């Protein structure tokens, strides 16, 4: 996620182009001409060993050593075999940014081409030079008049950034956007991503004030998935992030490894992007339409849509699409209905979608839209036009534009047809009004914005309080996995797997184990009633074994065995079937359980798997022995809280079945959420846990029961989302009162207590903390404060049981936000007024200092008002250097935590 030196790519003061010539097919020459045509104001230098005097009017030098000064940015268009050598020379001359447009390094046709790419990486590493590419199309920044690319046209200035992995798809996007008169804040493709990757670029753009939204085109993640998810989560808090994810072409050179229990890589990416708060688009058309929407839509007021057209056919197409996308059709008010009746034919049905009739004039279109935009129940209007003699496309577009410009609500337009519709679309493009070719495209574009706001609302839901109190059991679980590993096993036995569930308070049935048929018979006699018998072998000890061959399950299982003779006969058949497929040393005996019938049980499949890209995943869906469990296998990235677990349950068919059949829907859903959270805690506690499958998990009026389970082990895995740092919690006592409290990291469940904490602060404390008098924070603000990414920031609170009443209250909080390169962390602290003098300031600040020091952060900084003498005294006591900042009229507080080890770190500390 490092953003070091990225400014030299986007705002270079000087550029050198290697390999530039005046040949028409010279990529370096094309880049140089684009730089000149874009009006780049910095210094340009061409480098070519052929010894040209000039290239396109720019002075040319034979080699790097001949340059009068070293450039901020080097653009390399030289032959592949020369690239690594150029990088070494650039690094030796302290050039810190290089963009490689040369192709051929990223091909994998031979060992040699692979070694060229690695050679470039190794050449750059000793010097800390940042590399964009190879095999990228370059970058364009209209705000800086920078077109350092081989694009065939320049782009205009806009508020959307485009970042892609495909150069040719990027040039197609530029061509389309130019035709639609749409601009960009930044435009670049990354190519192979040897160094500068998606997370780094997303972090840079997230802080760029000229960028309001980010479009990502990607086929795979290069580098750390955790960095990618973290960057997208951070960016999507304030900016819409849309992603076009395509699959890699399977040509024999690379293969996609799927997570056990997952049959489609796209499901995993959908889950990751949804959890990160991004919106995924499925086609390039949708990406183009998304750009149209992002560039021209006003801020969203809500998601209730009114549809108006001069015919019911197009209205029906739009309405069907809206319902299929789970959108909301607005219910127009009686006042609006009365006003519309005055201008519409008598046969109008009085409902939305509004049919203006085929004889609608441009004026009728405009008046209907004006009335709908005044309706308090309408958040946006989609107007669809089919050309007629009564309402010519261009004339209607001009009238619609007049109304759309005067309303704060969004008005989307759809001009159906081609011959007369093109000019109408051009008029809307020139006016900056979203316009589309079909009703379906219009609705899809609107729903992308709705999905973004829904994702953000879901991300900011306040989790219900939930705490596990089984620390001794967790230690036993870790020991169980260590013992299995010491024995050389990559799985747990069936009995161990059941014990693991018990340790995490997941109910399991009374289970017996037998080595032979006689043992099974004896267990069945002891249990009484109907029993089930399962034969164990080396394959079904592993989770998800039956996914690809469900019929195999019946070869290993016998159900509803009532009499001893049935038990003996069925077990004999099971033993025979297993002996046909496995050697004696590959079998592991039998499992015997009482049958669980007669409680109207719902069978569920739930578990944990590990994706090669995103790491551990939680799976949930309909289960059982006789169905295709893959058809309803929903995925979410851990860690989970109650709000996230509820989302996962509601996306499954399980929720619909519960809603239609259960007498206690909320109780059943809560039970499932608790189980999912326990699985999430298991993933966090046991990094060596590779896969776990519970199938079936029975849900009935008695609760949950994990009937069958399997667990596999592997190397320790890292979650894609940083889990709650429970190890940082500690018990403390307040200095003056001796009151017991907990010093720990903040979490989403603290939102209600955090609001109470804020409301308890005096106006003076609020002014000293925020530098101005502010009102009560909104839910969105509180969610941002409490639901944090622990990889990027940390907030410690002192929480204590309330002196009166149940629950905990927050006494003080300190927050430290660290930049992407871990150079500086900026802190802020506030203590409840009645807690002054209890030592909370020292306690919280020392915790922050220790934490940032352990993470390798170089410097801890903060600012306070000159009148805040208490904060200044605390800072001096802790060892901060205090100085007055005359320009900002604040007191700066700085403390060095670790010494810089590289030149770029020293530079960043000085600037």
């Amino acid at each position: 996620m490092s953003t070091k030196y990225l400014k030299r790519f986007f705002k270079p003061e000087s550029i050198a182009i290697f390999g530039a010539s005046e040949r028409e097919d010279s990529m370096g020459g094309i880049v140089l001409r684009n730089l000149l045509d874009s009006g780049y104001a910095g210094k340009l230098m061409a480098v070519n060993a052929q010894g040209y005097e000039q290239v396109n009017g720019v002075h040319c030098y034979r080699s790097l050593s001949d340059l009068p000064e070293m450039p901020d940015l080097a653009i390399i268009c030289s032959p592949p075999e020369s690239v690594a050598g150029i990088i070494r020379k650039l690094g030796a001359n302290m050039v810190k940014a290089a963009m490689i447009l040369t192709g051929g390094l990223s091909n994998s046709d031979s060992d040699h081409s692979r070694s060229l790419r690695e050679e470039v990486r190794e050449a750059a590493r000793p010097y800390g030079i940042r590399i964009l590419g190879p095999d990228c199309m370059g970058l364009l920044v209209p705000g800086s008049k920078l077109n350092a690319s081989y694009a065939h046209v320049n782009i205009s200035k806009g508020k959307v950034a485009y970042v892609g992995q495909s150069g040719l798809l990027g040039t197609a996007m530029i061509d389309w956007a130019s035709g639609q008169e749409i601009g960009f804040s930044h435009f670049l493709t990354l190519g192979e991503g040897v160094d500068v990757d998606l997370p780094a670029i997303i972090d840079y753009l997230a802080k760029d004030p000229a960028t309001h939204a980010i479009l990502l085109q990607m086929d795979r993640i290069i580098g750390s998935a955790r960095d990618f998810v973290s960057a997208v989560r951070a960016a999507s808090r304030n900016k819409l992030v849309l992603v076009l994810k395509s699959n890699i072409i399977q040509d024999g050179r690379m293969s996609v490894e799927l997570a056990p229990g997952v049959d489609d890589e796209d499901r995993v990416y959908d889950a990751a992007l949804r959890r990160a708060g991004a919106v995924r688009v499925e086609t390039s058309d949708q990406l183009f339409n998304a750009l149209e929407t992002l560039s021209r839509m006003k801020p969203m007021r809500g998601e209730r849509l009114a549809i108006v057209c001069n015919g019911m056919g197009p209205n029906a197409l739009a309405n069907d699409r809206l319902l299929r996308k789970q959108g909301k059709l607005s219910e127009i008010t009686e006042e609006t209905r009365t006003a519309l009746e005055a201008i519409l034919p008598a046969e109008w049905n009085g409902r939305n979608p509004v049919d203006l009739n085929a004889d609608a004039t441009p004026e009728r279109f405009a008046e209907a839209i004006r009335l709908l935009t005044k309706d308090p129940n309408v958040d946006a209007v989609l107007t669809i036009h089919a050309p007629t003699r009564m309402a010519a496309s261009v004339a209607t577009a001009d009238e619609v534009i007049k109304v759309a410009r005067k309303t704060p609500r969004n008005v989307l337009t759809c001009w159906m047809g081609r011959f007369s519709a093109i000019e109408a679309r051009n008029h809307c493009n020139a006016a900056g009004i979203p316009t589309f070719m079909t009703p379906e495209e219009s609705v899809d574009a609107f729903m992308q914005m709705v999905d973004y706001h829904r994702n953000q609302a879901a991300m900011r839901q306040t989790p219900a309080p939930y705490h596990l109190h089984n620390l001794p059991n967790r230690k036993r679980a870790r020991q169980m996995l260590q013992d299995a590993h010491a024995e050389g096993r990559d799985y747990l036995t069936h009995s161990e797997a059941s014990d693991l569930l018990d340790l995490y308070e997941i109910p399991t049935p009374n289970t017996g184990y037998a080595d032979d048929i006689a043992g099974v018979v004896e267990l069945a006699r002891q249990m009484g009633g109907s029993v089930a018998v399962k034969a164990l072998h080396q394959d079904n000890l592993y989770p998800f074994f039956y996914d690809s061959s469900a019929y195999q399950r019946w070869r290993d299982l016998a159900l509803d065995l009532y009499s001893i003779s049935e038990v003996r006969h069925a077990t004999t058949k099971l033993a025979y079937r297993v002996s046909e497929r496995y050697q004696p040393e590959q079998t592991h005996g039998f499992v015997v359980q009482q049958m669980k019938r007669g409680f109207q049980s719902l069978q569920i499949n739930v578990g944990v798997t590990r994706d090669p890209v995103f790491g551990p995943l939680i799976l949930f869906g309909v289960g059982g022995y006789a169905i295709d469990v893959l058809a309803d296998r929903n995925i979410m990235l851990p860690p989970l809280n109650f709000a996230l677990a509820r989302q996962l349950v509601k996306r499954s068919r399980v929720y619909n079945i519960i809603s239609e059949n259960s007498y206690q829907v909320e109780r059943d859903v809560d039970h499932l959420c608790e189980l999912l959270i326990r699985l999430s805690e298991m993933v966090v506690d046991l990094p060596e846990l590779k896969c776990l499958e519970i199938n079936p998990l029975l849900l009935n009026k008695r609760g949950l029961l994990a009937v069958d389970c399997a667990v596999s082990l592997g190397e320790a895995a890292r979650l894609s989302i940083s889990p709650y740092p429970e190890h940082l919690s500690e018990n403390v006592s307040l200095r003056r009162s001796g009151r017991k409290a907990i010093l720990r990291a903040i979490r989403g469940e603290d939102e209600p207590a955090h609001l109470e904490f804020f409301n308890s602060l005096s106006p003076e404390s609020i002014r000293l903390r925020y530098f101005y008098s502010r009102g009560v924070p909104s839910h969105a603000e509180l969610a941002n404060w409490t639901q944090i990414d622990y990889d990027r920031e940390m907030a410690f609170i002192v929480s204590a049981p309330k002196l009166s009443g149940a629950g905990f209250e927050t006494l003080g909080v300190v927050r430290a936000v660290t930049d992407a390169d871990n150079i500086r962390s900026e802190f802020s602290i506030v203590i409840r007024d009645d807690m002054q003098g209890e030592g909370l300031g020292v306690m919280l600040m020392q915790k922050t200092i220790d934490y940032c020091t352990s993470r390798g952060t170089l410097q801890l900084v903060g600012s306070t008002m000159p009148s805040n003498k208490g904060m200044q005294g605390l800072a001096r006591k802790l060892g901060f250097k205090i100085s007055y900042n005359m320009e900002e009229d604040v007191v700066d507080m700085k403390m060095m935590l670790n010494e810089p080890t590289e030149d770029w770190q020293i530079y960043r500390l000085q600037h």
Side-chain angles (χ1 to χ4, degrees):
M1 294 185 291
S2 175
T3 60
K4 67 178 181 180
Y5 300 130
L6 289 191
K7 186 177 179 181
R8 301 196 184 194
F9 288 100
F10 298 108
K11 297 179 180 179
E13 295 183 2
S14 59
I15 301 175
I17 302 96
F18 290 77
S21 74
E22 295 188 356
R23 296 194 328 268
E24 288 191 8
D25 62 347
S26 167
M27 183 179 292
I30 293 171
V31 173
L32 183 55
R33 287 195 295 273
N34 280 344
L35 283 165
L36 292 169
D37 293 344
S38 66
Y40 174 68
K43 184 168 184 176
L44 290 174
M45 298 167 280
V47 181
N48 195 308
Q50 298 297 322
Y52 303 120
E53 184 175 337
Q54 287 186 338
V55 176
N56 295 323
V58 174
H59 194 82
C60 184
Y61 302 88
R62 187 178 292 274
S63 67
L64 177 67
S65 59
D66 296 328
L67 293 178
E69 62 182 80
M70 289 300 112
D72 275 354
L73 173 63
I75 301 177
I76 301 174
C77 305
S78 303
E81 60 273 9
S82 67
V83 173
I86 294 173
I87 293 295
R88 289 191 189 92
K89 292 177 182 177
L90 289 169
N93 283 276
M94 303 300 290
V95 177
K96 295 302 182 184
M99 183 165 60
I100 305 174
L101 275 63
T102 302
L105 281 75
S106 55
N107 294 333
S108 54
D109 295 326
S110 67
D111 291 339
H112 179 61
S113 61
R114 278 195 294 269
S115 67
L116 284 176
R117 187 172 64 247
E118 291 305 315
E119 192 177 342
V120 168
R121 194 195 307 270
E122 292 302 318
R125 183 171 289 123
Y127 305 104
I129 185 172
R130 303 305 306 271
I131 304 292
L132 180 60
D135 207 10
C136 67
M137 66 162 282
L139 60 86
L140 301 91
V141 187
S144 300
K145 295 183 177 181
L146 177 69
N147 180 358
S149 75
Y150 58 70
H152 59 299
V153 294
N154 202 0
I155 59 175
S156 57
K157 188 177 180 180
K159 57 185 181 181
V160 180
Y162 177 93
V163 186
Q165 289 179 332
S166 167
L168 289 180
L169 190 57
T171 59
M173 173 65 83
I174 288 175
D175 193 85
W176 181 88
S178 298
Q180 294 292 100
E181 301 181 34
I182 292 174
F184 298 89
S185 64
H186 300 74
F187 196 106
L188 68 153
T189 65
L190 302 180
E192 191 62 21
V194 163
D195 172 39
V196 177
D197 54 10
L198 270 177
I201 296 296
I202 294 169
D203 276 337
Y204 181 89
L205 295 174
K207 297 177 182 178
D208 179 61
T211 300
H212 295 185
I214 303 171
L215 294 184
L216 303 178
Q217 178 275 318
M218 55 184 289
D219 52 37
R220 66 194 186 282
I221 291 178
I222 300 173
S224 167
R226 183 160 174 165
D227 288 348
F228 172 78
V229 172
S230 177
V232 174
R233 283 183 76 199
S236 67
R237 290 272 180 169
N238 303 303
K239 303 180 181 185
L240 173 57
V241 180
L242 278 99
V243 182
L244 173 62
K245 165 67 174 66
S246 56
N247 291 320
I248 302 172
I249 297 174
Q250 301 303 312
D251 58 0
R253 295 181 298 177
M254 58 179 68
S255 60
V256 176
E257 181 185 353
L258 296 176
V262 176
D263 63 346
D264 187 356
E265 180 193 38
D266 268 0
R267 290 192 184 188
V268 181
Y269 274 89
D270 279 342
L273 294 173
R274 189 185 302 112
R275 182 71 195 276
V279 176
R280 182 175 180 180
V281 294
E282 298 177 356
T283 66
S284 55
D285 277 346
Q286 289 183 357
L287 190 65
F288 293 152
N289 291 333
L291 178 58
E292 173 91 26
T293 311
L294 292 174
S295 299
R296 291 176 172 153
M297 278 189 74
K298 301 166 186 174
M300 288 281 288
R301 182 177 181 271
E303 55 185 72
R304 299 167 298 178
L305 182 67
I307 304 172
V308 58
C309 179
N310 56 346
M312 279 309 295
N315 270 346
L317 292 174
N319 186 52
D320 288 349
R321 189 70 158 205
L322 186 70
L323 296 178
R324 195 174 299 121
K325 292 282 186 176
Q326 299 180 335
K328 292 183 179 179
L329 198 65
S330 58
E331 292 283 344
I332 57 178
T333 63
E334 188 62 37
E335 182 181 354
T336 303
R337 185 178 293 109
T338 302
L340 286 170
E341 286 174 347
I343 65 169
L344 296 181
E347 60 268 23
W348 177 53
N349 61 15
R351 293 196 297 270
N352 180 26
V354 179
D355 180 10
L356 301 180
N357 212 346
D359 63 354
T361 62
E363 291 74 20
R364 187 187 295 175
F365 261 97
E367 181 62 12
I369 295 169
R370 187 187 70 81
L371 292 173
L372 289 169
T373 56
K374 298 289 186 181
D375 192 312
N377 290 348
V378 174
D379 298 316
V381 177
L382 168 59
T383 176
I384 307 171
H385 176 268
T388 67
R389 284 189 178 275
M390 296 293 293
S393 298
V394 174
T396 306
D398 290 340
E399 291 299 318
V400 170
I401 289 169
K402 293 176 185 177
V403 176
R405 282 175 167 168
K406 295 178 181 178
T407 177
R409 289 174 171 80
N410 279 298
V411 176
L412 294 82
T413 64
C414 170
W415 308 98
M416 300 184 70
R418 182 171 178 82
F419 178 74
S420 62
I422 290 177
E423 190 174 352
R425 294 187 201 116
N426 290 339
H427 280 222
C428 287
N429 287 334
I433 294 172
T435 184
F436 306 93
M437 296 179 65
T438 68
E440 294 87 349
E441 285 183 355
S442 310
V443 171
D444 286 350
F446 176 73
M447 287 305 299
Q448 286 163 1
M449 300 295 292
V450 170
D451 287 344
Y452 167 70
H453 286 278
R454 287 178 179 176
N455 282 355
Q456 291 302 303
M459 287 176 63
R460 290 183 168 93
Q461 284 183 13
T462 306
Y466 187 86
H467 309 292
L468 291 176
H469 302 288
N470 61 352
L471 292 180
N473 285 357
R474 296 186 193 186
K475 293 180 180 178
R476 295 189 191 102
R478 294 189 190 102
Q479 187 61 51
M480 182 187 298
L481 269 60
Q482 291 172 9
D483 292 344
H485 179 74
E487 294 175 15
R489 287 189 281 125
D490 62 349
Y491 64 88
L492 295 184
T493 65
H494 194 282
S495 62
E496 289 173 334
S498 297
D499 290 344
L500 180 64
L501 298 185
D502 287 336
L503 290 173
Y504 280 84
E505 301 174 13
I506 299 174
T508 57
N510 179 29
T511 303
Y513 298 91
D515 294 327
D516 51 27
I517 298 172
V520 172
V521 170
E522 179 59 29
L523 284 172
R525 183 177 288 111
Q526 293 174 11
M527 290 181 179
S530 176
V531 299
V533 180
K534 178 182 179 180
L536 297 176
H537 51 73
Q538 66 174 15
D539 288 333
N540 65 8
L541 286 173
Y542 292 92
F544 312 111
F545 165 66
Y546 295 112
D547 279 359
S548 58
S549 53
Y551 71 93
Q552 295 264 17
R553 192 184 301 272
W554 294 105
R555 301 177 68 182
D556 300 331
L557 192 65
L559 303 177
D560 296 309
L561 306 177
Y562 288 91
S563 66
I564 295 301
S565 61
E566 284 181 320
V567 172
R568 182 178 290 106
H569 177 69
T571 308
T572 302
K573 289 176 65 176
L574 285 178
Y576 177 73
R577 290 175 190 160
V578 171
S579 66
E580 287 183 315
R581 293 175 288 151
Y582 298 96
Q583 297 298 318
E585 64 272 13
Q586 296 173 325
T587 62
H588 297 272
F590 301 91
V591 179
V592 185
Q593 292 178 344
Q594 283 185 318
M595 287 297 301
K596 300 296 179 180
R597 299 281 195 191
F599 299 119
Q600 297 181 337
S601 297
L602 171 61
Q603 298 188 60
I604 299 168
N605 179 260
V606 63
V608 174
T609 189
R610 185 182 296 183
D611 184 73
V613 176
F614 291 100
L617 308 171
I618 304 291
L619 307 180
F620 181 85
V622 173
Y625 298 128
I627 69 164
D628 178 11
V629 292
L630 290 171
D632 185 46
R633 186 160 278 170
N634 298 276
I635 301 171
M636 184 169 280
L637 273 62
L640 304 186
N641 55 35
F642 242 100
L644 293 169
R646 186 172 290 270
Q647 287 179 44
L648 182 57
V649 172
K650 286 190 172 183
R651 283 204 300 270
S652 167
R653 293 209 309 260
V654 171
Y655 182 75
N656 295 332
I657 297 171
I658 293 174
S659 299
E660 294 170 2
N661 296 279
S662 175
Y663 294 103
Q664 295 179 295
V665 175
E666 288 303 312
R667 184 212 66 169
D668 290 343
V669 172
D670 285 347
H671 283 171
L672 292 172
C673 291
E674 289 173 4
L675 180 137
L676 289 170
I677 291 174
R678 289 187 173 109
L679 289 181
S680 174
E681 293 289 337
M682 198 181 295
V683 170
V684 174
D685 294 342
L686 310 172
E688 294 81 11
L689 179 74
K690 183 178 182 181
C691 297
L692 179 150
E693 182 185 20
I694 302 174
N695 186 31
L697 171 73
L698 298 186
L699 170 66
N700 55 43
K701 63 184 181 182
R702 293 188 176 183
L704 297 175
L705 190 68
V707 174
D708 198 8
C709 59
V711 174
S712 64
L713 310 177
E715 297 295 323
R718 192 167 182 245
L719 277 67
S720 285
I721 297 175
S722 179
Y724 181 74
E726 193 172 345
H727 64 283
L728 296 175
S729 302
E730 58 178 294
N731 295 318
V732 296
S733 298
L734 305 194
R735 183 175 61 194
R736 188 176 59 195
S737 64
R739 185 179 177 185
K740 303 299 182 184
I742 301 173
L743 175 55
R744 60 172 176 81
I746 203 168
R747 55 184 167 220
E749 293 87 340
D750 292 318
E751 182 181 328
H754 212 66
L755 178 59
E756 291 180 6
F757 169 75
F758 183 92
N759 289 333
S760 72
L761 298 176
S762 66
E764 179 65 8
S765 292
I766 293 174
R767 187 182 70 85
L768 292 176
R769 164 61 182 87
Y770 296 99
F771 290 27
Y772 65 96
S773 298
R774 57 154 300 157
V776 177
S778 66
H779 164 64
E781 287 179 296
L782 288 165
N784 285 340
W785 293 348
T786 57
Q787 299 178 33
I788 64 175
D789 184 343
Y790 300 107
D791 282 338
R792 292 173 171 265
E793 62 179 304
M794 178 55 70
F796 290 112
I797 63 171
V798 175
S799 177
K802 291 182 177 180
L803 296 177
S804 59
F808 282 73
E809 58 183 350
T810 299
L811 310 181
V813 59
V814 62
R815 189 174 304 273
V817 180
T818 307
D819 62 54
D821 297 312
N822 203 24
I823 300 297
R824 289 188 182 90
S825 188
E826 184 174 2
F827 77 88
S828 56
I829 183 172
V830 60
I831 308 298
R832 215 169 71 182
D833 293 69
D834 60 335
M835 290 291 114
Q836 302 291 335
E838 291 278 16
L840 294 179
V842 173
M843 192 184 299
L844 287 166
M845 284 302 302
Q846 191 60 55
K847 185 78 170 180
T848 304
I849 292 169
D850 294 342
Y851 172 76
C852 291
T853 302
S854 69
R855 292 186 74 243
T857 306
L858 300 186
Q859 190 177 56
L860 186 62
V861 301
S863 299
T864 190
M865 299 180 71
S867 60
N868 194 346
K869 302 301 182 182
M871 184 66 242
Q872 295 169 40
L874 173 62
R876 286 193 181 92
K877 179 179 179 180
L878 292 168
F880 282 84
K881 291 184 178 180
I882 307 296
S883 62
Y884 176 65
N885 184 331
M886 186 178 299
E887 184 177 348
E888 301 290 337
D889 190 27
V890 296
V891 174
D892 290 335
M893 302 166 285
K894 298 180 180 179
M895 174 186 286
M896 288 299 299
L897 305 177
N898 294 284
E899 291 300 317
T901 57
E902 299 184 39
D903 291 341
W904 69 270
Q905 294 175 325
I906 298 173
Y907 176 83
R908 286 282 296 275
L909 285 170
Q910 294 172 345
H911 295 82

